[in-house]
Structures are given as C-alpha cells and as structure tokens.
Amino acid sequence: MFDNPVLFFICGLGVFNGFLVALYFLFFNRERRVQNFLFGLLVLFLSMRIGKSLYVIFTPKEERNITLIQIGLSACFLIGVSLFYYIKSSLENRKEFPVKWKLNFGVLTIIIVVLGFVFPYEYAKGFWNSYFVYVIYSVWGIYILASGFILRNKFKKILSRSEKSTTSEIWLIWVYVANLLIFIAYLIGMFYLYLVGTITFSIVFYVLLIFFLSKKNREVIFKDIPEKYASKKIMEAEAESLLEKLNELITKESLYKNTNIKISDIAKEIKITPHKLSQLLNDNLGKSFTAFMNEYRIEEAKKLLKERKELTLEAIGFEAGFSSKSNFYATFKKVVGLTPSQFQQQFL
C-alpha cells in the first residue's frame, strides 16, 4: 500500500479521464464508426485494468473489494483483442463489424466470464494470481505481436523516410507503442515494481491526449475516408494482377535503368492512371514509386558489383539506374546495410 497523495492524484486522474474518453467513443461520439467503437473498448479495458492496479496499490488489504479486483483482471484479458481489431479496422477502413471479429470477442468474453463464476477471485486467488494471470498476459502479448505485424509496413514507411506518413498512420503507431509500453511495464511490475504499469499508463495517456486535442488531428483520425477515395480502393484480386504485370514489364524492359522514368510512363504501359499506380504501390506494398524502383536498381547494382569488377563504383551506380553517385551510395547503404565497396569486397 502507498500513501503518496500526489502520485495517487496523477494516476487517478489518468484513469478517470480514460473512462471519460471511453464513454465518449462508446456512447456519445457522433461518428458511428467501427474504429471509434473499438477504440472506446480499448480505452475502457485499459482504464479498468489500470484502475484495478490503482485500487490495489492505494487501498489497505483488509478494505479491498474482491469483485473490483476480479473485474480489473478480466478486463485485461480483452485489451489485446481490442487493440488488434482497432488497428486492423483502421488500416482496412472497415464500415462494419465482421461476424468473425464478433465471434472472437464473444469467445474470449465467455471464457473470462465463465472462469469468473467457476473460480471467483475471492475463493481462488491462487488460481488467478499464480496460474491464470500468465494466460491473461500471454493472450495480451500475442495480440500485441499480431498488431505489430499488420502495422509493419507503416513502421517501414516511417523509418525509410521515403514518403511522408499520414496523421492517421502516425496515430496508429502511437497507439500501438503506448500499448506496448504499458504491456512491458506490467510485465516488469509482475516481478519488480507493481506501480510502474499505472504510472506508464498515465504518461502515455496524456501524450496521446495532447495529440487528440488538436481539432485537425481529430478530424483526420476519427472520421471516415471520404467516399470518393474509399470507393476507389483496389480490390485484392485486381491488385495482384496489376502487380504481376508491373513486375513483368519492369523486369523485361529494364525500365529501372532509365534515371528519368516517371510513374506516368509506367502507368501508361500497364493501362492505368498514375494515381491508381501510386495507390497500388502505397496500399499493397507500402512503398513509394521511388522506393519501389530503387529496389530493382539495388538488385541490378549487386549483380554488377559481383560480375563487373572492371567498372568503377560510380559507373555501376549509373548503369543500375541511379541519377547520381551520392544517391547510389546512400540508397545502397540504407537498403543493404553496407556501402557498395564493402559489398563488393565480399566477392574479391
């Protein structure tokens, strides 16, 4: 038990505001979107879990309400799945809640509710604290890993700096990182300092709240993509066909060797608009046109570095399609992890 009033106020205020945000998205938000509902669930379950921690830390053992503790642990079981489907629905711009998502939520909810009745915390503390707590954190961790996997292209986009990330993409990355930090903090708290999870939640909550308070950010993050753009989203089957044609054309014609090649030139060859080609690369590969073409150029450069040792490194860069020596060196190092000369040394 702790009795620091300042610490209690900071953490308690974070939990209280978390509940307010959750209620807003679940019941009062005018934008009735799947994404907003799932975000409300995520914040609600997080707030319940953090509230449970706060309650245990600052309440004497003999005065604790066992039911509140069990509710807090149960909420933790549903944090990961809420995070995963919030991110997935946002990336896919979902308009409805798929049946299989509801089944997933339903199964997890039934499991935790049934266990709560069969093994009530009041009489089965050993089961909850020594056994099932590891199941709860394992489920949470699995969904965090799955969420990171579906966000991988957005992380690559930010790290590569080949294209500016949108506000919505940055928001999703922030939400994911915040949940990851809270999860790690609770893992640390299991073995070292229990309070660290509560403090971490308060910190990341206020950071996200600052981002959220901007009207411009709210309008971008929590509203649907306008239909005139959403309706043009390329279907998976069509996207696969276009990508096959695109790769075949570039490989066959060695178009990447042309330093002045434009996206409009290639779009014309495969009979689509430049906008649609850009959308195809961004939505399906997570790459800009420049990054996409540079991948071909890097592969060509690697081949030349192995086979054409009589050529200078600068000549190899131009032969592969790079517009300048500096561009060749910088791009090669970023993609391969070695400079062109370091790469070539392996084959001398």
Side-chain angles (χ1 to χ4, degrees):
M1 183 187 70
F2 292 80
D3 56 3
N4 188 316
V6 176
L7 194 58
F8 176 79
F9 175 78
I10 293 173
C11 296
L13 191 60
V15 172
F16 177 74
N17 286 327
F19 278 116
L20 290 182
V21 170
L23 290 174
Y24 169 75
F25 280 104
L26 290 173
F27 301 109
F28 303 108
N29 184 28
R30 294 180 180 178
E31 296 288 333
R32 298 295 180 182
R33 302 170 66 233
V34 172
Q35 294 87 340
N36 292 356
F37 176 76
L38 287 166
F39 182 73
L41 284 181
L42 173 61
V43 177
L44 176 64
F45 293 138
L46 274 171
S47 300
M48 290 170 68
R49 179 62 184 88
I50 307 302
K52 176 262 181 185
S53 299
L54 191 68
Y55 181 73
V56 169
I57 292 169
F58 291 95
T59 303
K61 190 173 182 179
E62 62 277 6
E63 298 178 12
R64 294 172 188 167
N65 186 307
I66 300 300
T67 302
L68 292 179
I69 296 175
Q70 182 168 321
I71 290 174
L73 279 173
S74 300
C76 190
F77 195 60
L78 300 171
I79 293 173
V81 67
S82 301
L83 171 68
F84 176 74
Y85 285 128
Y86 169 63
I87 291 175
K88 188 172 178 63
S89 65
S90 298
L91 292 175
E92 298 176 359
N93 196 34
R94 289 278 181 169
K95 302 296 183 183
E96 58 183 20
F97 209 125
V99 174
K100 62 181 179 180
W101 294 14
K102 294 178 182 178
L103 288 174
N104 196 346
F105 264 103
V107 168
L108 291 177
T109 302
I110 290 171
I111 289 173
I112 199 66
V113 170
V114 169
L115 282 173
F117 279 105
V118 176
F119 301 101
Y121 188 84
E122 183 176 4
Y123 304 106
K125 293 180 183 178
F127 168 78
W128 287 86
N129 296 334
S130 301
Y131 300 103
F132 196 67
V133 67
Y134 295 104
V135 175
I136 290 174
Y137 282 102
S138 295
V139 171
W140 189 1
I142 288 170
Y143 278 109
I144 283 181
L145 289 175
S147 300
F149 180 77
I150 62 175
L151 274 174
R152 64 192 184 283
N153 288 333
K154 304 307 176 185
F155 278 109
K156 289 178 182 177
K157 187 176 180 181
I158 289 178
L159 295 174
S160 68
R161 300 178 184 176
S162 59
E163 186 181 358
K164 186 177 179 181
S165 298
T166 65
T167 302
S168 296
E169 290 169 338
I170 293 172
W171 169 259
L172 290 178
I173 294 294
W174 268 109
V175 170
Y176 175 77
V177 170
N179 276 266
L180 179 61
L181 289 175
I182 293 170
F183 175 73
I184 292 172
Y186 266 102
L187 290 183
I188 294 172
M190 288 178 68
F191 304 101
Y192 180 60
L193 182 61
Y194 189 64
L195 184 63
V196 69
T198 305
I199 296 174
T200 303
F201 171 79
S202 298
I203 293 172
V204 299
F205 178 82
Y206 289 121
V207 171
L208 292 176
L209 186 62
I210 292 171
F211 192 91
F212 171 75
L213 286 176
S214 166
K215 181 179 179 182
K216 181 180 178 182
N217 289 341
R218 291 200 309 275
E219 289 179 347
V220 172
I221 296 166
F222 299 111
K223 289 187 178 181
D224 278 330
I225 297 173
E227 287 300 321
K228 64 178 181 178
Y229 299 116
S231 61
K232 294 180 181 179
K233 188 173 181 179
I234 302 172
M235 301 302 291
E236 186 175 347
E238 183 186 3
E240 289 180 1
S241 174
L242 288 173
L243 286 172
E244 186 177 344
K245 290 180 182 178
L246 178 63
N247 288 316
E248 183 180 352
L249 172 67
I250 293 174
T251 303
K252 184 178 180 180
E253 303 293 334
S254 297
L255 296 179
Y256 52 87
K257 291 186 178 182
N258 182 354
T259 58
N260 297 316
I261 193 76
K262 297 186 177 72
I263 192 170
S264 56
D265 300 327
I266 294 180
K268 184 178 180 180
E269 291 294 326
I270 58 175
K271 297 179 174 56
I272 61 174
T273 65
H275 173 76
K276 188 168 186 177
L277 177 54
S278 177
Q279 185 181 16
L280 175 71
L281 295 175
N282 281 282
D283 290 352
N284 295 82
L285 300 181
K287 302 170 186 174
S288 66
F289 174 70
T290 300
F292 178 72
M293 295 299 290
N294 280 344
E295 287 186 356
Y296 283 96
R297 291 168 180 150
I298 290 296
E299 290 304 313
E300 179 68 19
K302 286 163 72 174
K303 180 180 176 182
L304 293 172
L305 286 167
K306 293 178 186 178
E307 301 174 358
R308 301 287 302 278
K309 296 180 178 62
E310 75 279 6
L311 296 177
T312 65
L313 296 179
E314 185 174 6
I316 287 175
F318 284 118
E319 181 71 18
F322 288 96
S323 58
S324 68
K325 179 180 177 180
S326 59
N327 185 24
F328 170 47
Y329 274 54
T331 305
F332 194 95
K333 178 68 184 297
K334 181 165 61 174
V335 174
V336 180
L338 300 170
T339 64
S341 59
Q342 289 172 335
F343 179 84
Q344 191 177 52
Q345 285 296 320
Q346 301 176 99
F347 306 98
L348 295 179

